[in-house]
Amino acid sequence: MSTTVFVNTYTHSVTYVTDKLLTSIKNIVRQSGLNPSKLTQEWESLERGIKTWLSTEHLEQVHLEVFNPTNNKLVGRWDLEIFYAFSGDGAAFWLDPDVISYHIKKQGLWPSNCDYRIIVTAKRGRPNVLGWSNTTFYSTEGFVRQSIGTTIDAGGLSTGASYWRKIS
């Protein structure tokens, strides 16, 4: 008699990337001088949406928008782009938080009176998720996008990061 064990690696990849995406956003918020308590309060809803849309391969990007609440103008933004090249070969799972920390130091702290929100872009036909609704982005006019490369990988399900900074 033999026993066969099957591990759904893609499910593990989705769980890993969801957790590391949210942890990366929390670190960006905290290291940039903002209060992470809002993120903590929304964690369950954020996790539910991101995990659902990663599982169905509808998730394209997760965005952290930082804005001035008095004039509703963008102060900065981080984009975490999803790449679906799942290999299923059990490749190593990894996260590179140091590259994000480096670029946070490079861009500098945001004013502590700023607010932030998490927005996702997803493909048409995505399933609806409780707690999520449609919105529009703040304008990036006067900003330039800086790509910093891959920051999360889980067997080919990976995330590339970039941030927007004011043009000097």
Side-chain angles (χ1 to χ4, degrees), residues 37-158:
S37 64
K38 178 181 179 180
L39 183 63
T40 303
Q41 293 167 3
E42 297 175 355
W43 195 275
E44 186 178 315
S45 177
L46 292 168
E47 187 175 55
R48 182 174 47 249
I50 291 168
K51 187 178 258 187
T52 297
W53 295 318
L54 278 173
S55 295
T56 62
E57 297 190 11
H58 283 91
L59 187 64
E60 295 176 317
Q61 293 190 50
V62 178
H63 311 273
L64 168 66
E65 278 197 323
V66 179
F67 60 95
N68 181 331
T70 58
N71 64 11
N72 281 324
K73 298 275 186 185
L74 186 69
V75 174
R77 186 171 106 186
W78 280 79
D79 298 336
L80 301 163
E81 185 175 5
I82 308 301
F83 299 102
Y84 297 96
F86 182 70
S87 63
D89 64 2
F93 289 22
W94 57 266
L95 165 71
D96 186 359
D98 294 337
V99 71
I100 290 175
S101 294
Y102 170 80
H103 285 279
I104 290 169
K105 289 175 187 168
K106 190 174 172 180
Q107 85 173 5
L109 298 178
W110 288 315
S112 61
N113 66 330
C114 288
D115 199 355
Y116 60 89
R117 63 187 185 160
I118 309 302
I119 298 174
V120 302
T121 50
K123 298 173 188 167
R124 291 189 184 277
R126 69 189 173 275
N128 291 327
V129 175
L130 180 67
W132 288 82
S133 62
N134 293 329
T135 191
T136 57
F137 287 99
Y138 286 104
S139 172
T140 55
E141 184 177 337
F143 287 80
V144 63
R145 185 174 185 247
Q146 303 290 306
S147 179
I148 62 173
T150 303
T151 56
I152 302 168
D153 189 60
L157 176 60
S158 60

